[in-house]
Amino acid sequence: MRRTPVDTEKSQKKITRRGLLLGGAQVAMAAVLVGRMRFMQVDQADEYRMLADENRINMRLIPPARGLVFDRKGVLLAGNEQNYSIVLVREDADDPEAVLDRLAKLIWLPPEDRAKALEEMRRRSPFVPVTVAERVSWEDISEVAINAPALPGISPEMGLSRIYPLGADFAHVVGYVGPVSDYDLSLLENPDPLLQIPRFQIGKTGVENKLEAELRGSAGTKRIEVNAVGRVMRELSREEGEPGANVQLTVNHALQNFAEARLAGESAAAVVMDTRNGDILAIASAPSYDPNKFVRGISSRDYNALLEDPYRPLANKTAQGTYPPGSTFKMVTALAALEAGVISLNETVTCRGYLEVSNRRFHCWSRGGHGRVDLVRSLKESCDVYFYELAQRVGIDNIAVMAKKLGLGIRHDLPLSAVAEGLIPTKAWKQEVRGAEWVVGDSINASIGQGFVLTSPLQLAVMSARIASGNAILPRLVRSIDGVEQPVFGAEPLDIDPDNLAAVRQGMYEVVNGNRGTAGSSRIVAEGLQMAGKTGTSQVRNITAAERARGVTRNEDLPWERRDHALFVAYAPAQAPELAVSVVVEHGMGGSTAAAPIARDIMLAALYDDIPPLDAYPSSQRGTIRSRFEAMTLREPLAPSEGRSRA
């Protein structure tokens, strides 16, 4: 068909419209692309430049500030100090060993720290920072920053490290922190990501360990940009974590310091407890150690010295140590017999210096005997034969029930390491553990705190507080957590006849204040502050019949580790008890000579909340007491006063 001029003109117009539409669409698309490119390349250049090179943006956890620990008066026991460190990220370092070699030329890097860092890098993911050096100076940080191009993967960091301002005073109570170990991680099913931070510190002992969850806090995060050689260019964003909770303990820092100083030179323990609410005011174990050394990295020499010390400074003797309680256990036997009705308050027993049972003699400490003694006198003069007789009448199982009622043989729930349960034996226990029948001799030994019986100084303080108050008081070490007061338990009365308790209290009063009382030389003469207590001396070796025949070897003539333990328990004021105390001096030989004087000094320091005044002591002893206080090394030295009113 032949096209006419009109048809040709129509076709050209149609093509022109299509071309315009297509061209317009192309131009519009190009404009959109150009605009988008400008937006991406100019407006969001920085963001997309980082996204295009993702390996240069790192996410890191920010360790939270660990919660602080205070004493009952608000004095800091565990705090945080600024700490500069140097870390290395393996994936950002071309050759970690070469980088560490260059770093060692700039700052002091001990070979053992270098080896430790390399070993840690092999065990960690390549993107996890590994701490190379801690507690470095600001000058070292500056040196590293200046030479950053030659140290790929290396970056300085600022953080917090634990510090214990009062040093050894609270080492066994607060404990210390240390880097997370593989063993620590193995104990957890779902470990907190914080624990993956190199050398992150967690509680290892004491309150630091038992309240780890409260003290640790939660991690924050930060996004950082690093360049091709691993140098941190800038921080892109930060989200702070939650700091750990602050903990206030019931202890009094000044009393604790006084107790530690008073125990100096001994392997010993002392516990002071408020009889009204169970608050532990002091809980001292001697000798102690500086927990700051463990935080900063204790040397092998220092650590071995602690391990090899026969006085065992690393052990918390107050709660972990268990000892035969000796005659301090006699109140338990007496109350068990009184409650069972097998003896009356005024009934007497004749002591001839020994009791013969099944052709075996059980000796009293007084070879000549005490004659006829009742309950009060038996406690005052610590007659053993009286309690041998009670043991045969009442039986071990009743004694065990009373011991538990008074807080012995119980693992008290305190945030301390290795709180001991002790041992209050029964017939069933011996059959199960020893595979043997209980015999009467076992009961006789147990009646005076020997044989199988084991108690801790903490338990003895609880026993004293319960006898003094008549309530089933429980020990409390944590006063508040983040300002929230912790509950007091044990206000309910003991299920013991008040008359029987009163008789035992009278006996304890006579021990210290009566004529011929075993602790008469440790009495308090300050009006209204008289102390009631009980001495104890527990054997750590068997005395054979042959030795008795030729004469028992004096403690002074034995090696230190074979000498008797010395114990003393007490409460005061006797007429309105506020405080209970227990003291154990390992191998101290005599409760009246070694433990009671220490307990009196600590009790008075607690009652006065200060160095005890000299007029609280018998006049004949004041010169000796003054010299003793002047020789003590206290954190805040104070001179004993000639006369001071009680605060």
Side-chain angles (χ1 to χ4, degrees):
M1 177 186 296
R2 187 176 179 182
R3 296 174 61 89
T4 65
V6 174
D7 293 335
T8 300
E9 185 179 352
K10 289 181 179 180
S11 177
Q12 288 175 344
K13 288 181 180 181
K14 192 178 293 185
I15 292 172
T16 300
R17 285 197 299 271
R18 289 175 181 170
L20 289 173
L21 289 173
L22 181 58
Q26 289 175 337
V27 170
M29 181 63 71
V32 170
L33 290 174
V34 169
R36 182 63 177 169
M37 289 173 65
R38 183 188 183 284
F39 176 74
M40 294 171 67
Q41 292 182 355
V42 178
D43 296 341
Q44 290 190 315
D46 293 341
E47 179 71 17
Y48 283 99
R49 187 181 300 114
M50 289 183 286
L51 289 175
D53 194 7
E54 187 177 354
N55 67 318
R56 294 195 300 166
I57 302 174
N58 290 340
M59 294 287 294
R60 292 188 184 176
L61 294 177
I62 304 173
R66 192 170 180 84
L68 309 178
V69 181
F70 301 92
D71 87 328
R72 67 185 299 109
K73 296 184 175 182
V75 173
L76 185 67
L77 306 181
N80 303 312
E81 64 177 355
Q82 201 170 66
N83 173 32
Y84 295 111
S85 61
I86 295 173
V87 302
L88 188 152
V89 178
R90 177 157 55 97
E91 71 175 1
D92 293 335
D94 299 328
D95 184 346
E97 293 196 34
V99 171
L100 290 178
D101 288 339
R102 290 195 288 272
L103 178 65
K105 295 177 181 179
L106 299 174
I107 67 171
W108 167 241
L109 185 62
E112 57 270 22
D113 287 1
R114 181 182 183 281
K116 184 177 180 181
L118 289 171
E119 174 60 28
E120 197 168 350
M121 272 184 265
R122 283 189 282 270
R123 293 187 293 107
R124 304 276 185 182
S125 300
F127 57 84
V128 174
V130 170
T131 301
V132 174
E134 285 187 294
R135 298 181 182 277
V136 298
S137 66
W138 177 251
E139 289 73 18
D140 288 340
I141 291 291
S142 302
E143 194 75 32
V144 170
I146 292 171
N147 291 275
L151 301 170
I154 290 285
S155 61
E157 290 196 350
M158 184 182 72
L160 297 174
S161 184
R162 207 59 159 170
I163 185 172
Y164 302 101
L166 302 189
D169 285 355
F170 287 93
H172 296 106
V173 182
V174 176
Y176 59 85
V177 299
V180 180
S181 66
D182 291 337
Y183 174 75
D184 294 326
L185 294 173
S186 71
L187 300 177
L188 304 172
E189 290 186 11
N190 299 303
D192 188 330
L194 268 173
L195 304 185
Q196 300 295 331
I197 295 177
R199 302 192 193 182
F200 182 76
Q201 295 178 334
I202 62 170
K204 296 291 186 175
T205 63
V207 170
E208 291 276 33
N209 174 260
K210 298 302 180 180
L211 298 184
E212 171 65 26
E214 291 82 358
L215 291 167
R216 183 189 303 167
S218 58
T221 58
K222 64 179 178 180
R223 296 171 69 228
I224 59 172
E225 178 189 2
V226 296
N227 63 15
V229 294
R231 182 181 183 182
V232 176
M233 302 301 294
R234 58 175 172 161
E235 185 177 297
L236 303 174
S237 63
R238 171 184 286 257
E239 183 176 341
E240 298 293 345
E242 290 292 328
N246 292 336
V247 174
Q248 184 179 33
L249 303 183
T250 61
V251 289
N252 179 330
H253 77 284
L255 182 62
Q256 180 82 5
N257 178 241
F258 182 91
E260 289 284 355
R262 186 62 181 86
L263 295 174
E266 303 283 1
S267 178
V271 179
V272 182
M273 186 172 164
D274 192 318
T275 62
R276 298 161 295 186
N277 57 15
D279 280 4
I280 294 175
L281 304 181
I283 182 165
S285 180
S288 188
Y289 61 92
D290 185 359
N292 291 297
K293 289 186 177 181
F294 284 84
V295 178
R296 297 166 185 168
I298 190 168
S299 68
S300 298
R301 179 181 178 181
D302 287 346
Y303 187 62
N304 288 333
L306 293 173
L307 288 178
E308 295 166 5
D309 190 327
Y311 282 17
R312 301 176 298 117
L314 291 176
N316 181 2
K317 301 179 181 73
T318 59
Q320 182 181 356
T322 56
Y323 310 86
S327 294
T328 63
F329 193 76
K330 288 176 178 176
M331 286 84 75
V332 176
T333 304
L335 286 170
L338 290 169
E339 289 291 292
V342 299
I343 195 168
S344 65
L345 292 175
N346 298 318
E347 186 175 345
T348 61
V349 170
T350 300
C351 171
R352 295 179 296 169
Y354 64 89
L355 179 69
E356 193 162 341
V357 178
S358 302
N359 298 319
R360 179 183 173 188
R361 285 189 174 185
F362 293 87
H363 293 268
C364 183
W365 70 267
S366 175
R367 292 178 66 102
H370 292 90
R372 299 187 66 81
V373 294
D374 60 8
L375 171 65
V376 171
R377 187 182 171 202
S378 72
L379 288 171
K380 178 175 70 170
E381 299 182 25
S382 204
C383 173
D384 295 328
V385 169
Y386 180 89
F387 295 94
Y388 295 160
E389 179 64 31
L390 296 193
Q392 293 181 90
R393 298 185 191 182
V394 71
I396 188 60
D397 287 344
N398 286 326
I399 292 175
V401 169
M402 180 56 65
K404 294 290 182 73
K405 191 174 292 187
L406 293 176
L408 307 180
I410 295 171
R411 182 178 288 109
H412 294 290
D413 186 19
L414 292 178
L416 296 172
S417 299
V419 177
E421 182 178 338
L423 176 58
I424 301 299
T426 61
K427 292 178 179 179
W429 169 86
K430 188 177 180 185
Q431 184 64 56
E432 180 182 349
V433 175
R434 298 296 181 96
E437 295 293 327
W438 190 267
V439 296
V440 67
D442 295 331
S443 295
I444 289 175
N445 284 328
S447 72
I448 61 168
Q450 293 284 171
F452 302 117
V453 182
L454 293 172
T455 60
S456 69
L458 170 64
Q459 292 171 337
L460 292 175
V462 173
M463 178 191 74
S464 303
R466 290 187 178 187
I467 291 173
S469 67
N471 296 326
I473 200 71
L474 288 171
R476 185 175 77 148
L477 185 59
V478 178
R479 191 175 190 181
S480 67
I481 298 178
D482 254 2
V484 179
E485 186 80 11
Q486 298 303 289
V488 173
F489 295 104
E492 64 277 5
L494 289 167
D495 183 22
I496 299 176
D497 188 323
D499 290 339
N500 293 335
L501 275 174
V504 167
R505 291 181 192 132
Q506 182 61 33
M508 294 177 69
Y509 180 86
E510 292 294 324
V511 166
V512 183
N513 303 286
N515 183 33
R516 301 184 69 180
T518 57
S521 62
S522 292
R523 64 169 52 98
I524 295 171
V525 300
E527 186 65 31
L529 297 185
Q530 283 78 18
M531 180 172 66
K534 184 70 190 79
T535 54
T537 302
S538 62
Q539 294 176 195
V540 297
R541 67 188 185 94
N542 291 323
I543 300 176
T544 64
E547 183 180 348
R548 287 193 182 278
R550 68 174 182 267
V552 177
T553 305
R554 297 188 314 162
N555 268 283
E556 295 88 338
D557 298 329
L558 293 168
W560 176 80
E561 66 276 5
R562 299 188 64 200
R563 297 174 182 174
D564 297 340
H565 294 318
L567 305 95
F568 187 72
V569 298
Y571 62 86
Q575 303 309 318
E578 298 175 14
L579 302 173
V581 64
S582 70
V583 171
V584 175
V585 181
E586 291 186 342
H587 312 295
M589 298 186 288
S592 61
T593 56
I598 295 173
R600 176 179 61 176
D601 289 348
I602 294 174
M603 177 69 84
L604 282 169
L607 288 169
Y608 283 94
D609 196 19
D610 204 345
I611 299 295
L614 293 177
D615 59 10
Y617 296 85
S619 58
S620 62
Q621 300 176 16
R622 291 173 188 171
T624 301
I625 301 299
R626 174 183 288 278
S627 298
R628 176 189 302 156
F629 288 163
E630 289 174 349
M632 288 171 60
T633 303
L634 296 172
R635 190 171 297 280
E636 299 174 4
L638 295 170
S641 171
E642 294 292 347
R644 182 189 293 122
S645 298
R646 186 179 168 216

